[in-house]
Amino acid sequence: FARAEGSCWLRFKLHRGLNSTLYIVWNEIKYKAEVDREYSEELPEIVCIPSQINQVFMNLLVNAAQAIPTQGKIFVRSGFEHEHVWFEIEDTGHGMSDEVRQRIFEPFFTTKPVGKGTGLGLSISYDIIVKKHRGRMDVTSKPGLGTCFRLWLPLTFSPPA
């Protein structure tokens, strides 16, 4: 994702970012999950920093694959409503307890063994979506049933000067 426009605000098609990120992380996913893409046909472009949005996609996709113990599914969906575009990544993995779910955006919080995760992926993703792009992150999860992250980004956004 490192390019000359790495920190520039641009008009961006989320599906392009989702597809390129899926291609990049495919080796991490292909042995664990079937990916089901359910994209909205007419998703408007948004103004964002594409490399940062792709980083969020990557964090969520890798986490989804790692949450699946043996074999499962990852659903990647998109849509728009109420002046926002949304995308979600849902897995059929082991899910989270309410106690864990309440802490997932804390820097350095992880449920992974030592050496397997830094606990920064979701914290960074939260900063990118909520703080920098003025969006929202919704998370639903049930132990044994998987997790779904839905991220909302505004259609009309004036980036900082």
Side-chain angles (χ1 to χ4, degrees):
F1 302 128
R3 292 191 190 138
E5 77 269 4
S7 62
C8 296
W9 292 87
L10 304 168
R11 296 204 63 73
F12 185 60
K13 294 183 179 193
L14 287 175
H15 293 158
R16 181 174 164 228
L18 280 165
N19 289 331
S20 66
T21 305
L22 277 164
Y23 179 78
I24 289 168
V25 300
W26 184 243
N27 279 335
E28 182 82 23
I29 295 173
K30 68 182 175 184
Y31 299 111
K32 293 292 238 24
E34 175 186 334
V35 176
D36 186 358
R37 299 175 205 204
E38 301 172 10
Y39 295 167
S40 169
E41 289 185 32
E42 296 296 325
L43 195 66
E45 289 183 339
I46 62 165
V47 174
C48 67
I49 300 175
S51 62
Q52 291 184 358
I53 299 301
N54 287 341
Q55 180 179 0
V56 172
F57 293 154
M58 183 173 64
N59 290 343
L60 294 176
L61 288 163
V62 168
N63 282 357
Q66 291 174 346
I68 296 170
T70 53
Q71 195 65 30
K73 286 188 99 169
I74 296 173
F75 301 91
V76 181
R77 301 179 185 103
S78 67
F80 64 98
E81 58 186 271
H82 308 298
E83 297 301 314
H84 286 80
V85 296
W86 58 264
F87 61 90
E88 65 183 23
I89 297 175
E90 180 178 3
D91 64 67
T92 59
H94 52 72
M96 295 180 268
S97 68
D98 286 339
E99 294 78 24
V100 168
R101 190 178 47 75
Q102 290 173 11
R103 297 192 60 200
I104 59 174
F105 298 120
E106 292 177 19
F108 305 108
F109 175 77
T110 183
T111 59
K112 296 174 184 167
V114 174
K116 297 290 183 185
T118 62
L120 290 173
L122 290 176
S123 174
I124 289 168
S125 296
Y126 182 88
D127 285 349
I128 290 169
I129 297 298
V130 176
K131 294 180 180 175
K132 186 164 259 176
H133 289 81
R134 297 191 187 126
R136 185 175 96 219
M137 294 180 77
D138 298 333
V139 183
T140 56
S141 187
K142 295 282 185 203
L145 299 177
T147 300
C148 182
F149 283 85
R150 181 177 274 203
L151 286 68
W152 300 81
L153 293 166
L155 283 173
T156 55
F157 176 66
S158 298

